[in-house]
């Protein structure tokens, strides 16, 4: 009899331990939620070769980065139909500073480089769904090539729910630059965009996701409120505002894969890559 009682007590104890472990794991995972920041480049079906701008090679291979207008429409439609709340970078950064607990169906949309198809293809779709977004411009390249936005288009979008940040002057890999070159790329690009728009430029995206502690310090010193990289692996709620991860969206991301990327836990178990 006593042996049977002891076995029952053991099973009960094991059940309590397993339940506690499950509840603890669930709470831990829920506390790791981070609002996904989506990263797009070109919204085009074209297979465009690397651009030549102002005599310098603009080394972005669009065949690897572009999302077709049809896919982009489906992805934005999925956000709308599935009840996701798309917020601006301002709302995200201010909420992050205040330790706000965002809804698990919150998302931010960003674009890098400033391709003209962000205006011709993405902008009408964003307006259709009333989604805010931020485009990071390479300031010296604006209006210098037919594949890139011009200032008139930038101003129109700026007046209609699209914010603009900096992506340096010439799309250089910042960790490889001297301090003076770094300062010029980070600070002067901000000034140029602000002069054209008459609005403060508060956010910065590191070209190719490359940064260092010195780059981060220069970005903060230049007056940016936050800076963004690319997929870097493990994300957390209290992450450094000058090292914010984003999630690259591909042309083939559909309901299933997009749901994973929108979960808020996409980077949780991914390997952390070095910043440079």
């Amino acid at each position: 009899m006593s042996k049977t009682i002891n076995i029952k007590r053991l099973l009960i104890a094991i059940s309590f331990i397993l339940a506690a472990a499950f509840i603890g794991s669930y709470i831990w995972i829920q506390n790791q939620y981070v609002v996904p920041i989506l990263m797009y480049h070109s919204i085009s079906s074209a297979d465009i070769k690397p651009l030549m701008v102002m005599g310098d090679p603009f080394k972005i291979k669009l065949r690897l980065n572009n999302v077709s207008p049809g896919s982009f429409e489906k992805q934005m439609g999925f956000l709308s139909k599935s009840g996701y709340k798309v917020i601006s970078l301002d709302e995200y950064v201010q909420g992050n500073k205040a330790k706000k607990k965002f809804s698990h169906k919150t998302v931010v949309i960003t674009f890098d480089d400033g391709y003209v198809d962000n205006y011709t293809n993405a902008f009408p779709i964003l307006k259709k769904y009333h989604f805010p977004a931020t485009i990071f411009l390479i300031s010296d390249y604006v209006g210098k090539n037919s594949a890139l936005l011009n200032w008139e288009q930038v101003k129109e979008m700026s007046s209609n729910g699209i914010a603009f940040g900096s992506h340096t002057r010439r799309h250089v890999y910042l960790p490889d630059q001297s301090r003076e070159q770094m300062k010029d790329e980070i600070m002067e690009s901000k000034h140029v965009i602000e002069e054209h728009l008459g609005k403060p430029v508060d956010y910065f995206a590191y070209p190719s996701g490359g940064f260092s502690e010195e780059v981060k310090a220069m970005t903060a010193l230049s007056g940016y409120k936050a800076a963004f990289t690319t997929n870097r692996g493990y994300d957390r709620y209290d992450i450094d505002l000058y090292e914010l991860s984003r999630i690259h969206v591909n042309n083939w991301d559909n309901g299933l894969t997009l749901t994973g990327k929108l979960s808020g836990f996409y980077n949780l178990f991914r390997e952390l890559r070095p910043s440079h």
Side-chain angles (χ1 to χ4, degrees):
M1 177 69 75
S2 60
K3 184 177 181 180
T4 302
I5 292 174
N6 287 336
I7 291 174
K8 287 183 178 179
R9 287 176 177 173
L10 178 61
L11 291 174
I12 291 172
I14 292 173
S15 297
F16 274 115
I17 292 171
L18 291 175
F22 175 80
I23 293 171
S25 298
Y26 178 80
I27 293 173
W28 180 83
I29 289 175
Q30 293 304 306
N31 286 337
Q32 307 310 306
Y33 174 81
V34 176
V35 173
I37 305 172
L38 304 183
M39 178 180 63
Y40 289 93
H41 289 83
S42 170
I43 306 301
S44 170
S45 299
D47 186 16
I48 306 174
K49 295 180 180 179
L51 305 175
M52 290 293 293
V53 186
M54 299 168 61
D56 295 322
F58 181 24
K59 296 178 180 177
I60 296 292
K61 294 184 178 179
L62 297 191
R63 62 174 61 88
L64 300 178
N65 290 327
N66 64 317
V67 171
S68 73
S71 292
F72 185 72
E73 167 74 56
K74 289 178 181 178
Q75 291 164 358
M76 296 301 102
F78 177 82
L79 294 180
S80 179
K81 292 174 185 177
S82 301
Y84 286 90
K85 181 181 180 183
V86 181
I87 63 173
S88 67
L89 276 186
D90 269 333
E91 189 174 349
Y92 170 76
V93 170
Q94 294 308 315
N96 213 310
K97 286 181 178 179
K99 302 297 181 183
K100 176 180 177 179
K101 295 293 184 181
F102 289 98
S103 159
H104 281 211
K105 277 199 167 184
T106 305
V107 63
V108 177
I109 300 172
T110 67
F111 298 80
D112 281 5
D113 305 329
Y115 296 105
V116 69
D117 53 56
N118 292 176
Y119 174 81
T120 56
N121 295 333
F123 185 38
I125 296 170
L126 292 169
K127 285 196 295 184
K128 173 182 175 180
Y129 292 107
H130 306 287
F131 287 166
T134 297
I135 299 174
F136 293 103
L137 297 172
I138 306 164
S139 63
D140 283 15
Y141 290 173
V142 178
K144 303 299 183 180
N145 186 289
S146 60
L148 301 172
L149 291 167
N150 60 45
W151 289 114
E152 290 72 23
Q153 292 163 333
V154 169
K155 290 175 183 177
E156 180 183 344
M157 297 171 81
S158 178
S159 298
N160 289 276
I162 307 300
F164 289 88
S166 169
H167 201 36
T168 69
R169 289 184 59 190
R170 306 177 190 88
H171 201 268
V172 299
Y173 191 69
L174 291 169
D176 291 343
Q177 310 304 306
S178 69
R179 182 171 178 79
E180 284 307 308
Q181 290 172 321
M182 188 189 304
K183 179 179 179 181
D184 180 60
E185 291 287 341
I186 296 172
M187 191 175 291
E188 289 307 311
S189 60
K190 175 179 170 69
H191 293 162
V192 169
I193 300 170
E194 287 178 338
E195 287 177 4
H196 279 278
L197 294 184
K199 297 179 179 179
V201 171
D202 294 325
Y203 304 109
F204 184 84
Y206 305 113
S208 304
F211 65 93
S212 63
E213 290 304 314
E214 185 180 19
V215 170
K216 286 167 56 179
M218 180 63 71
T219 304
L221 183 65
S222 298
Y224 294 99
K225 294 179 180 178
F228 300 81
T229 180
T230 53
N231 297 357
R232 291 267 171 218
Y234 176 62
D235 223 344
R236 62 190 189 278
Y237 185 74
D238 60 344
I239 197 168
D240 186 336
L241 286 175
Y242 294 91
E243 194 178 325
L244 291 167
S245 292
R246 290 180 294 166
I247 298 170
H248 184 255
V249 183
N250 298 305
N251 191 54
W252 54 85
D253 282 323
N254 54 32
L256 182 61
T257 60
L258 194 57
T259 297
K261 291 186 174 184
L262 292 168
S263 68
F265 307 107
Y266 181 68
N267 283 333
L268 184 56
F269 301 107
R270 303 181 75 203
E271 182 180 359
L272 182 64
R273 299 203 310 265
S275 60
H276 62 87

